Amino acid sequence: MSLGVYVHLPFCRVHCTYCPFAISTDIALQDAYVEALVREIGSRLGAGQALPPVHSIYFGGGTPSRTSIENLRRVVEALPPAAGEFSMEANPEDINAESLRAWQDLGVNRVSIGVQSFNDAELTEIGRVHDAARAREAVAMAVASGMRTNLDLILGLPHQTAESFESTLSEAIDLGAGHLSLYMLDLEEGTPLHAQVARGRVEVGDDEQVASLYRRAIDRLEAAGLTQYEISNFARAGEECAHNLRYWTRGEYHGFGLGAHSFIGEERFANTRNIRDYIADPEHARDFIEQLGEAERRREILFLGLRQTGGMYYEELTRLGGKEANEWIERGLQDGWLRQSGGRVAFTSSGFLLSNDYISQLF
């Protein structure tokens, strides 16, 4: 057994219009936040506790690259060492030769860059700080540094056309990153972009166009050596994100910081999203706890297993899905949203687009 660690570093230069995450643009809180973060880590992973080996560390946000090297070092020193992958999210405007060396000195061996698009008009519309030229430069520097490099792209952005997305995808492939995350725009309530779209001030890609571009992207990335292994993730052989695989296989992990989630035993819990409440009392920051029963565990195994391109073994799927699963599988194979190979059942690329709806039919 091994353990994963997630650390949430919430500070951003601006709040992007599509972002639903727990973030803060008040960099003046940085020192106090990191002090609270170190206290929370110490209270849960304190000296004398017997812990499984830490296999992966992931610094997410927010924008971890916005946090100073001194404060990043304080967090790293509070954590147990990781024997494997140490990932850190970064935005292009924070990446240069000096910052990459400093992160590597802290043990970071994988950097995930929030590119989103290589089209300036699309970047401006969603409130990104960087432009396309800066994104190209940042990815090229990260790849040249020797760190494993992921870049994030969003499909379905305002004003995005088939041509502009195809151009972005071509640039992403040509830059040589070993991993690419392709997310379809999710208009979450409470975000500025959701309100703009609801009021008719901004238009986003229609579902049919997004679906078509998603399927074409899978083929193009596969041809370029980036194989899909999860709904939104593609990697060259051996460069899959170990930390995210832990989530999808229900491996245990501790989450520290604002809004961070954890999964230990069969218990899931999460911290408050209020940064001042967190800073005031990080040792008692939890505002959500769920003890998973058999029904919840069954749903998680089905949902997380089926979102991977490898899918699930037929026998496990029918055991967990009950009598309805046999009919569900047959219907999916006939209609083309499921495929079967080597004793496993998995979604096709078209099936992934409506996978949440299809999986809910098993509940």
Side-chain angles (χ1 to χ4, degrees):
M1 182 185 294
S2 65
L3 192 67
V5 171
Y6 172 83
V7 177
H8 192 77
L9 295 158
F11 299 102
C12 293
R13 280 181 166 80
V14 298
H15 196 156
C16 298
T17 62
Y18 61 88
C19 177
F21 300 123
I23 72 112
S24 173
T25 56
D26 188 355
I27 197 66
L29 294 174
Q30 180 184 169
D31 291 348
Y33 178 82
V34 170
E35 178 64 33
L37 193 54
V38 169
R39 284 166 54 195
E40 186 195 6
I41 293 168
S43 71
R44 284 168 52 191
L45 301 183
Q49 288 195 43
L51 293 172
V54 175
H55 181 249
S56 66
I57 294 175
Y58 195 102
F59 281 11
T63 311
S65 56
R66 178 90 165 121
T67 302
S68 71
I69 293 298
E70 293 74 17
N71 276 325
L72 289 174
R73 184 175 294 110
R74 291 179 65 198
V75 177
V76 170
E77 289 173 350
L79 293 171
E85 180 185 270
F86 186 165
S87 295
M88 178 172 148
E89 294 179 354
N91 275 342
E93 64 270 17
D94 298 322
I95 294 176
N96 54 51
E98 182 181 1
S99 63
L100 288 166
R101 283 194 299 270
W103 300 335
Q104 285 178 300
D105 288 344
L106 293 176
V108 176
N109 52 29
R110 182 179 183 276
V111 63
S112 182
I113 305 174
V115 171
Q116 318 313 356
S117 171
F118 287 109
N119 182 285
D120 284 339
E122 294 168 11
L123 292 169
T124 299
E125 185 66 56
I126 58 174
R128 299 296 287 174
V129 173
H130 69 273
D131 61 12
R134 188 70 188 88
R136 294 181 195 104
E137 183 181 10
V139 175
M141 283 192 292
V143 171
S145 76
M147 276 198 284
R148 289 190 170 182
T149 302
N150 171 67
L151 56 89
D152 288 346
L153 299 179
I154 298 179
L155 177 55
L157 290 171
H159 306 310
Q160 191 176 69
T161 64
E163 292 75 22
S164 70
F165 176 72
E166 294 279 3
S167 177
T168 282
L169 194 63
S170 293
E171 290 205 52
I173 291 169
D174 291 345
L175 283 164
H179 192 287
L180 189 144
S181 298
L182 175 59
Y183 300 108
M184 285 171 278
L185 180 67
D186 188 6
L187 290 174
E188 295 206 26
E189 287 193 33
T191 61
L193 186 57
H194 179 273
Q196 291 165 5
V197 172
R199 293 169 186 158
R201 295 179 180 175
V202 173
E203 291 186 4
V204 296
D206 64 72
D207 291 345
E208 186 174 333
Q209 180 192 52
V210 169
S212 175
L213 290 173
Y214 174 76
R215 290 190 291 266
R216 284 159 60 184
I218 292 172
D219 292 340
R220 288 196 62 193
L221 290 167
E222 179 74 36
L226 290 154
T227 300
Q228 185 180 30
Y229 67 102
E230 190 267 347
I231 291 177
S232 301
N233 287 276
F234 305 78
R236 301 189 191 283
E239 295 203 40
E240 298 83 359
C241 178
H243 189 81
N244 285 344
L245 280 169
R246 174 173 297 278
Y247 296 154
W248 304 324
T249 56
R250 301 184 82 247
E252 292 188 327
Y253 57 92
H254 281 284
F256 299 102
L258 191 67
H261 288 244
S262 301
F263 177 55
I264 303 295
E266 287 297 330
E267 184 177 78
R268 292 195 181 277
F269 50 94
N271 285 343
T272 177
R273 292 170 61 94
N274 185 304
I275 191 167
R276 295 188 184 277
D277 288 349
Y278 177 79
I279 289 172
D281 190 9
E283 293 94 341
H284 303 93
R286 295 182 194 177
D287 70 355
F288 167 80
I289 301 176
E290 179 185 22
Q291 188 69 40
L292 301 183
E294 186 58 37
E296 292 81 12
R297 180 176 176 273
R298 168 180 161 269
R299 282 195 291 268
E300 278 197 0
I301 294 172
L302 287 167
F303 176 77
L304 295 172
L306 287 168
R307 69 175 289 143
Q308 300 172 67
T309 55
M312 299 178 66
Y313 281 107
Y314 181 92
E315 291 79 6
E316 182 183 26
L317 182 52
T318 54
R319 177 178 62 82
L320 292 169
K323 294 179 180 178
E324 296 84 359
N326 286 302
E327 181 183 338
W328 184 84
I329 293 169
E330 185 64 29
R331 186 167 66 252
L333 293 173
Q334 288 180 354
D335 293 346
W337 44 267
L338 286 179
R339 57 187 172 81
Q340 189 170 7
S341 176
R344 301 181 72 93
V345 177
F347 282 116
T348 61
S349 59
S350 296
F352 270 142
L353 290 163
L354 295 172
S355 58
N356 287 351
D357 293 337
Y358 290 134
I359 294 171
S360 68
Q361 296 171 13
L362 290 169
F363 305 150

